[in-house]
Amino acid sequence: MELLEFARGPGLAVSLTVFAIGVAWRIYGILRLGRKPDFSAPRSIQTTAGAWRMILRRMWPHREFYADSAGATFNGYLYHVGWFVAFLAFVPHIAFIERLTGVSWPALPDTVIYVATALAILGLVAALLRRLTDPVLRLLSNFDDYFSWIVTMLPLITGMALIHGGYHDLKQVPPTPYTTPLALHLLSLELLLVWMPFGKLSHAFLVFLSRGTTGAAFARKGAQP
Amino acid sequence: MTDVNIRFPLDLDSPRFSIRKPEVRSDRQGDMTDAERVDRAMQSFMKDFSATTATYMESCIHCGHCADACHFYKVTGDPKYTPIWKLEPFKQAYKREAGPFAFAYRAFNLKPKVTLAELEEWQHLLYDSCTMCGRCTMICPMGIDIATLISQARHGMFNAGLVPHELWAVAERAEREGSPLGATAKVLKDRIEWLADDYEVEIPLDKPQAEVVCTLSSIEIMKYPESIVALAKILNHLGTDWTLRSDGYEATNFGLLSGNAAWQKDMTMKLINAAVAAGARTLVLPECGHAYGALRWQGANIYGKPLPFTVLHISEFLAEQVNSGKLKLKKLDKSVTFHDPCQVSRRGGATQAPRDVLQAMGADLRESRDSGALGWCCGGGGGVVTIHRADELRHAAFDINIRQINATGAEIPVTSCSNCRQTFDDGQAHYQWDKSMNSLLELVADHIAD
Ligand code: SF4
Ligand code: SF4
């Protein structure tokens, strides 16, 4: 079997399955430990609203923490937004998703995608440099942090290697002449899917659970999110 | 039995700032083999692993931001004081024994077993350098509530006999005598008689029935007895049907602070039983931070059902009285700044109450740069003020408070926690600072309008 065939067929199927089962297991593994009921007299019973308030509030630091954390937070936005713009607004990606799911949406111009990719790469490099030099981050960091970094970076790099000509104005994305690079690009995405449930990249879904848990508890106590 | 190393004798009675700094060391209690200690810590950790714990343990993205919120990291720059790092053995135990992928962690030994050496090393991080103030939760992009986890990890440390001596001794005394500072029921009775005589104020003790049962912190009883007079003056002025009870007066909870869940329960149940026996509608907690967390938010869960009375911090009680117009206050002709007790404000949700009271006095309130839910801990909470070897670190952290308060230009700092107050008194002496901490309760008593 050609590498590309593998990546498009069994590779994709297996990685999506591992992803789905892994995520479900991770969440089940957390929730199965159970929670005790809270009998304290609540100051507010709007705990769901509280959960959402915390989810939104933590998207940007409190004013009191700007000096220390606004820079890193901004950089975080850079690579998160850059990565997702490149992933979701690029013509060939949308065509790929449409083939799989039948759903599609309008794309952004290629230039925007290239800029987003470049910013994502710069942001990730900056984050890595900070991780390698800041004493706190060096102490905290483990295999997961570095491996997750690589796994996030690979789709960007392998994608850059694929670009040929413009895509935005084409009616249909032509088959790429670079089958091996395309296969590698697809495999890099599959690696990300497979790794996601196990390492820190799960923050993509755990962020709701974690902020929500504290947000609900804080709302109950009437504490500021 | 605490195994006190004679090189580091316990000195619980001298004024705090006169004690020379002992070497940093790790303390042990009880006769146990090393393996037993580790086993007991693990069993206790396992008991505390809930879905909430798991959520937090799984969610950390190692971003390091929490370090910047913690006073102990801020003043030392030492990465070991990064809040989440203080939980490393707890996290390690969780990942290996309870997490969704525990089987893999065990099978491939990805997370080795926690060792006694680690637990001993972490004693300093779990006790001396965490006041459970919760400021780190406010910065954590994942909203991880580290203080809650620290208090769970302390359960394991207590079970393993790995608590700093002084904190252990104070907690043990509280369990045995009913007060961490020797304010036994008899001492309380004597004090009350003396205060009632000296200040010519009626202080009801052990009324069989009362609408309001008030409780105290032994720091007030032993160090700031005027607080009791202030409380009595205000309640008598309001014509409240109230009492103190010798079967449940001590609101501090060193079971909670040291990590002994059984003692925590004993201490909490005394208060609950006293209020129930008096048929009280309201239990008023004293100017104490952790007492609020212990009873207001944890009390009912220890009781196993909702409490049959309302629990109010004294600042909330006072705010209710001024807001309803029952308590009128004279003008306080000074600029003030309010130091928020972490457990009442950030972690308790009663941030506004003291401000309402200060406003009722027409005080010129000058908030510090980081105030309310984002305020800095005094550095002495979570039992840290009892731990002598932590003095240097605590003093270093206290400097943040001096800077924040000086910057407001306010004439007097006010708080509503006697533990903050004693930490401030100690810090004031250490730095020869020109400001003394004031009690909100005492200020109110001094400004009752007739
Ligand atoms: S709870 Fe307070 S003292 Fe403890 S780690 Fe967090 S910020 Fe530091
Ligand atoms: S701020 Fe939160 S997510 Fe970041 S390292 Fe600390 S605990 Fe982990």
Side-chain angles (χ1 to χ4, degrees):
Chain A
M1 199 190 313
E2 283 275 330
L3 194 57
L4 184 57
E5 260 178 75
F6 169 80
R8 280 189 170 148
L12 189 62
V14 167
S15 61
L16 282 170
T17 313
V18 171
F19 172 77
I21 295 178
V23 169
W25 177 255
R26 180 105 178 236
I27 294 176
Y28 167 73
I30 292 170
L31 297 181
R32 78 184 157 163
L33 293 171
R35 260 176 218 163
K36 291 204 187 95
D38 189 347
F39 296 113
S40 63
R43 217 188 287 278
S44 156
I45 51 166
Q46 315 271 326
T47 48
T48 312
W52 282 106
R53 243 197 319 280
M54 182 72 92
I55 289 168
L56 294 175
R57 187 64 197 79
R58 280 296 185 282
M59 296 195 57
W60 192 249
H62 283 283
R63 173 186 59 80
E64 288 79 354
F65 300 129
Y66 278 5
D68 289 316
S69 62
T73 309
F74 179 79
N75 188 51
Y77 270 96
L78 206 64
Y79 61 77
H80 278 88
V81 173
W83 202 97
F84 276 98
V85 165
F87 178 45
L88 293 174
F90 190 37
V91 173
H93 293 167
I94 297 174
F96 172 74
I97 293 169
E98 191 179 6
R99 268 206 304 280
L100 282 179
T101 64
V103 189
S104 78
W105 50 85
L108 288 174
D110 295 347
T111 331
V112 176
I113 305 301
Y114 301 152
V115 170
T117 309
L119 290 179
I121 291 175
L122 285 177
L124 279 168
V125 168
L128 181 65
L129 288 178
R130 197 167 153 257
R131 191 168 286 288
L132 289 169
T133 51
D134 183 286
V136 167
L137 290 176
R138 283 175 56 155
L139 181 68
L140 294 182
S141 301
N142 56 20
F143 170 80
D144 182 13
D145 295 297
Y146 296 110
F147 190 67
S148 296
W149 186 91
I150 294 172
V151 164
T152 313
M153 193 63 147
L154 280 178
L156 296 170
I157 302 293
T158 54
M160 296 268 286
L162 265 182
I163 294 163
H164 65 289
Y167 296 95
H168 194 251
D169 299 326
L170 298 179
K171 283 259 154 8
Q172 216 190 338
V173 180
T176 173
Y178 313 127
T179 53
T180 307
L182 178 61
L184 292 178
H185 183 50
L186 203 48
L187 286 172
S188 72
L189 175 75
E190 287 159 16
L191 177 63
L192 183 118
L193 283 171
V194 167
W195 178 242
M196 180 123 163
F198 306 103
K200 69 186 288 195
L201 294 177
S202 329
H203 72 273
F205 53 91
L206 290 176
V207 69
F208 297 100
L209 198 58
S210 181
R211 286 184 193 170
T213 301
T214 304
F218 273 30
R220 197 185 159 87
K221 295 200 280 189
Q224 191 183 315
Chain B
M1 232 298 288
T2 177
D3 153 27
V4 179
N5 186 330
I6 46 159
R7 268 169 64 218
F8 312 113
L10 284 186
D11 180 356
L12 299 171
D13 297 319
S14 330
R16 298 288 290 109
F17 44 87
S18 71
I19 296 165
R20 283 225 318 273
K21 180 197 153 226
E23 289 165 45
V24 169
R25 83 287 168 176
S26 155
D27 298 332
R28 292 182 176 202
Q29 292 85 31
D31 279 327
M32 284 175 245
T33 64
D34 291 2
E36 261 177 287
R37 284 183 201 273
V38 177
D39 281 351
R40 294 182 61 147
M42 288 310 119
Q43 280 163 16
S44 167
F45 286 172
M46 289 297 285
K47 242 173 73 187
D48 276 323
F49 293 147
S50 68
T52 307
T53 324
T55 300
Y56 295 147
M57 300 272 85
E58 296 288 337
S59 297
C60 177
I61 50 172
H62 289 173
C63 69
H65 284 311
C66 47
D68 289 314
C70 181
H71 39 288
F72 294 119
Y73 171 78
K74 266 291 181 203
V75 298
T76 58
D78 188 335
K80 75 176 179 206
Y81 295 130
T82 302
I84 197 70
W85 184 248
K86 297 174 187 171
L87 288 160
E88 192 59 18
F90 190 63
K91 204 169 168 184
Q92 196 177 326
Y94 164 80
K95 294 248 155 133
R96 191 181 158 93
E97 311 296 343
F101 305 115
F103 56 92
Y105 281 108
R106 277 197 303 269
F108 305 107
N109 205 28
L110 298 174
K111 287 269 178 213
K113 273 194 173 165
V114 176
T115 63
L116 182 64
E118 262 178 282
L119 292 176
E120 290 193 312
E121 191 183 338
W122 256 265
Q123 189 182 100
H124 173 66
L125 297 178
L126 285 167
Y127 286 100
D128 308 23
S129 61
C130 180
T131 54
M132 305 200 277
C133 75
R135 198 164 189 273
C136 42
T137 304
M138 304 305 286
I139 200 173
C140 173
M142 298 299 280
I144 296 173
D145 195 10
I146 290 167
T148 297
L149 302 175
I150 296 273
S151 108
Q152 293 178 346
R154 283 188 182 186
H155 289 153
M157 295 296 279
F158 198 106
N159 275 326
L162 295 172
V163 182
H165 278 324
E166 297 93 344
L167 181 55
W168 184 90
V170 167
E172 192 274 337
R173 189 179 189 188
E175 171 69 6
R176 185 166 35 84
E177 293 186 350
S179 156
L181 299 178
T184 58
K186 180 165 181 318
V187 171
L188 174 72
K189 192 161 178 283
D190 292 349
R191 289 239 147 185
I192 283 181
E193 276 169 17
W194 157 63
L195 290 167
D197 269 4
D198 260 27
Y199 291 86
E200 294 176 6
V201 58
E202 197 196 329
I203 308 176
L205 178 65
D206 289 333
K207 266 171 47 180
Q209 294 285 304
E211 257 184 47
V212 175
V213 163
C214 287
T215 58
L216 303 169
S217 151
S218 45
I219 302 175
E220 293 174 323
I221 305 173
M222 304 310 278
K223 284 193 164 164
Y224 308 119
E226 282 179 29
S227 276
I228 305 174
V229 177
L231 179 72
K233 269 193 190 163
I234 297 166
L235 290 167
N236 294 345
H237 172 81
L238 288 165
T240 310
D241 170 24
W242 74 288
T243 189
L244 290 167
R245 303 220 8 150
S246 51
D247 55 353
Y249 59 94
E250 175 61 67
T252 63
N253 196 317
F254 274 81
L256 166 75
L257 299 180
S258 61
N260 186 319
W263 291 354
Q264 176 182 354
K265 181 172 182 179
D266 290 347
M267 293 170 196
T268 293
M269 285 311 295
K270 275 191 196 166
L271 298 183
I272 295 176
N273 290 336
V276 169
R281 282 202 306 183
T282 306
L283 184 147
V284 176
L285 290 168
E287 294 203 302
C288 173
H290 77 267
Y292 191 67
L295 194 67
R296 175 66 180 89
W297 297 115
Q298 296 188 31
N301 298 328
I302 283 175
Y303 195 47
K305 54 188 177 201
L307 297 175
F309 48 83
T310 310
V311 179
L312 292 178
H313 186 255
I314 180 70
S315 61
E316 290 179 292
F317 177 81
L318 293 173
E320 275 189 6
Q321 303 305 315
V322 296
N323 289 341
S324 67
K326 279 190 217 132
L327 182 60
K328 299 255 187 295
L329 299 176
K330 288 190 291 210
K331 181 149 176 67
L332 170 64
D333 259 331
K334 284 205 170 95
S335 52
V336 302
T337 185
F338 189 75
H339 169 83
D340 286 273
C342 310
Q343 305 302 326
V344 181
S345 174
R346 170 165 46 246
R347 301 187 67 69
T351 307
Q352 189 52 38
R355 292 170 170 79
D356 286 352
V357 177
L358 288 168
Q359 205 181 10
M361 283 191 269
D364 167 14
L365 176 62
R366 304 194 183 165
E367 296 282 5
S368 50
R369 179 187 173 273
D370 308 326
S371 67
L374 276 303
W376 290 91
C377 176
C378 65
V384 170
V385 75
T386 63
I387 307 171
H388 298 177
R389 65 180 192 215
D391 282 358
E392 198 182 5
L393 185 61
R394 174 169 59 80
H395 285 143
F398 186 73
D399 186 50
I400 299 179
N401 283 286
I402 297 187
R403 279 185 273 135
Q404 291 253 329
I405 289 177
N406 282 345
T408 64
E411 288 161 274
I412 58 167
V414 180
T415 192
S416 203
C417 170
S418 49
N419 193 55
C420 292
R421 189 178 176 191
Q422 89 169 334
T423 305
F424 267 82
D425 285 356
D426 182 53
Q428 180 189 0
H430 179 81
Y431 285 102
Q432 304 187 327
W433 189 31
D434 62 352
K435 292 206 160 46
S436 301
M437 186 43 88
N438 292 270
S439 134
L440 181 72
L441 173 63
E442 289 176 25
L443 272 185
V444 169
D446 289 343
H447 289 80
I448 300 175
D450 306 304

